[in-house]
Amino acid sequence: MLPESAEDFRTIWLNPDDHSVVQVIDQRKLPHDYSIHELRSWTDGVVAITEMTVRGAPLIGATAAWSLYLASLHGIAPEAEIRTAAAALLESRPTAVNLRWAVERVLARVDTASQDSDLVALTRLEAESICDEDIAICRGIGEHGLRLIEEISARKNGAPVNILTHCNAGSLATVNWGTATAPIYFAHQKGIAVHVWVDETRPRNQGSQLTAWELAANHVPHTLIVDNTGGHLMQHDKVDLVITGTDRTTRCADVANKIGTYLKALAATDNNIPFYVALPSTTIDWNSRDGILEIPIEERDPLELTETCGISNGKSICVRTVAPDTPVSNYAFDVTPARLVTGLITERGICSASEAGLLGLFPEMREI
Ligand code: MRU
């Protein structure tokens, strides 16, 4: 059944009737088909992450946590199975740091087990906590980010606030609410007029296929644009605010996000438009400083560029759109240097895009 409001957009859960099955929304089929995909083993979890049945940094982390729970159901050597699964999960996608964070968190819980029979309950508890916390964190981001939208709305005397976003940092990328979308959903629910410019986000089209779909389902006014349109809109005063998500942000606030984010930040800076990044603290890599040098950038299958897929007469089809043998590079992410980011919206508040800003909100990370 299609969700009816932002509250109902949960993306991952344990099947209430069969605790050996984790269920997720199959994001490969959206927007044409809303269907539930079942994970029955940790290898299903790895494949779901690799093939982008689930995607988005926080949801990748949550899926990894539930995959470790599925590994714990292994009857013979559950702890060895969990550790094998953890190693495979860590390899599944390189850029989103939530994956490592979630795996390490579940493994820390596994270390507290005094016997194998504790493992199922412990991994389940941790996976559930990770999901519940993600929802609470996204709500926190929504509450803090709402202030930015309210201020712009007041300045515009209630005329719609035009927000540009890239990729899908929505409910579908998290357990619920999203990061970049949470302030938008909160504003919309409060009756503030908002309009979202949705970047198509080539080549996987997370904008046109996922963000546009979930904004429509939540009745948020939006318009789809090709990726290169943002600069033009900014020059013509049609963008008040940019909010994106991130897959990994360094302690110095360099931001890795979907390829093309950097160009939006450049255009926003040139046009004096605030460029904010919404992020849960689980996306901060406290061990890295220079994003361009230190963040691994995923390169994906050239087929994502050379083929275009969609629905024709009710059937899904993919067609080749470029000449055979055309050389292709398919970088999935880029890094926006902190100097181009106006601020970071976190669950603890909004801060400057700097180490000092982040440590002001997360002082417990000073010594790391
Ligand atoms: O390749 P994807 O679809 O996993 O990339 C997702 C993004 O780049 C999102 O913007 C990011 O994960 C932030 S999600 C809250």
Side-chain angles (χ1 to χ4, degrees), residues 5 11-12 61 77 104 124 132-133 135-136 149 154-155 160 179 191 215 224 309 357 362:
S5 76
T11 53
I12 187 164
E104 283 175 357
R124 176 176 168 180
D132 291 348
E133 283 170 33
I135 294 172
I149 299 176
R155 271 206 311 275
T179 56
L215 290 172
L224 179 66
C309 302
F362 299 93

Side-chain angles (χ1 to χ4, degrees), residues 27 49 52 54-60 93 95-96 98 134 138 141 165-174 178-181 201 204 206 210 244-248 256-259 261 277-280 283 298 300 304 332-333:
Q27 301 197 24
I49 293 171
M52 294 175 68
V54 292
R55 26 69 51 208
L59 180 57
I60 290 171
R93 288 196 74 189
T95 303
N98 307 57
D134 185 64
C138 289
I141 290 170
T165 193
H166 190 66
C167 195
N168 174 267
S171 301
L172 290 166
T174 62
T179 56
T181 55
T201 318
R204 292 283 302 203
Q206 289 94 331
L210 304 177
T244 74
T246 166
D247 294 83
R248 187 187 298 225
N257 192 47
K258 183 53 56 192
I259 192 84
T261 303
V277 175
L279 74 163
T283 303
E298 178 179 13
R300 294 190 58 85
E304 291 183 351
F333 300 95

Side-chain angles (χ1 to χ4, degrees), residues 46-360:
V46 171
V47 173
I49 293 171
T50 313
E51 294 189 351
M52 294 175 68
T53 306
V54 292
R55 26 69 51 208
L59 180 57
I60 290 171
T63 306
W66 278 114
S67 300
L68 294 177
Y69 160 76
L70 291 173
S72 79
L73 301 178
H74 194 263
I76 299 163
E79 186 170 349
E81 194 72 3
I82 290 170
R83 296 198 187 276
T84 306
L89 285 158
L90 287 172
E91 294 294 308
S92 58
R93 288 196 74 189
T95 303
V97 79
N98 307 57
L99 175 61
R100 188 180 74 205
W101 170 85
V103 167
E104 283 175 357
R105 216 174 112 159
V106 178
L107 290 183
R109 185 69 86 133
V110 165
D111 287 342
T112 67
S114 46
Q115 50 197 8
D116 276 358
S117 56
D118 296 342
L119 290 170
V120 173
L122 286 174
T123 52
R124 176 176 168 180
L125 201 65
E126 202 56 38
E128 280 170 349
S129 308
I130 284 172
C131 289
D132 291 348
E133 283 170 33
D134 185 64
I135 294 172
I137 283 172
C138 289
R139 291 186 73 101
I141 290 170
E143 278 157 18
H144 294 297
L146 170 63
R147 280 199 344 254
L148 294 174
I149 299 176
E150 281 177 326
E151 279 164 24
I152 297 170
S153 171
R155 271 206 311 275
K156 292 184 77 174
N157 294 320
V161 178
N162 290 302
I163 302 161
L164 185 141
T165 193
H166 190 66
C167 195
N168 174 267
S171 301
L172 290 166
T174 62
V175 179
N176 208 341
W177 289 100
T179 56
T181 55
I184 297 169
Y185 290 140
F186 275 50
H188 180 66
Q189 286 187 356
K190 223 179 154 184
I192 297 168
V194 289
H195 165 262
V196 183
W197 295 111
V198 179
D199 276 358
E200 181 186 27
T201 318
R202 287 279 295 146
R204 292 283 302 203
N205 296 320
Q206 289 94 331
S208 58
Q209 297 184 346
L210 304 177
T211 306
W213 177 80
E214 66 167 82
L215 290 172
N218 285 291
H219 313 289
V220 176
H222 62 281
T223 306
L224 179 66
I225 50 176
V226 298
D227 289 334
N228 298 329
T229 308
H232 168 76
L233 293 174
M234 291 179 198
Q235 287 172 328
H236 291 272
D237 215 12
K238 292 186 179 207
V239 179
D240 298 303
L241 172 67
V242 180
I243 311 181
T244 74
T246 166
D247 294 83
R248 187 187 298 225
T249 290
T250 68
R251 70 184 290 132
C252 299
D254 289 344
V255 169
N257 192 47
K258 183 53 56 192
I259 192 84
T261 303
Y262 171 49
L263 296 179
K264 295 294 135 61
L266 283 173
T269 303
D270 192 45
N271 289 282
N272 269 324
I273 289 161
F275 181 97
Y276 280 87
V277 175
L279 74 163
S281 52
T282 52
T283 303
I284 303 168
D285 183 352
W286 295 101
N287 296 311
S288 69
R289 309 186 77 85
D290 185 324
I292 295 170
L293 294 180
E294 296 175 54
I295 298 179
I297 299 295
E298 178 179 13
E299 288 183 60
R300 294 190 58 85
D301 192 332
L303 274 181
E304 291 183 351
L305 264 88
T306 57
E307 289 191 345
T308 295
C309 302
I311 290 276
S312 176
N313 295 326
K315 287 207 173 110
S316 56
I317 57 159
C318 292
V319 292
R320 187 175 175 92
T321 53
V322 303
D325 304 324
T326 303
V328 169
S329 286
N330 187 12
Y331 294 97
F333 300 95
D334 61 22
V335 173
T336 301
R339 66 186 150 76
L340 299 177
V341 179
T342 311
L344 302 174
I345 311 169
T346 79
E347 71 269 24
R348 292 205 191 160
I350 299 177
C351 68
S352 67
S354 64
E355 183 173 17
L358 278 172
L359 289 176

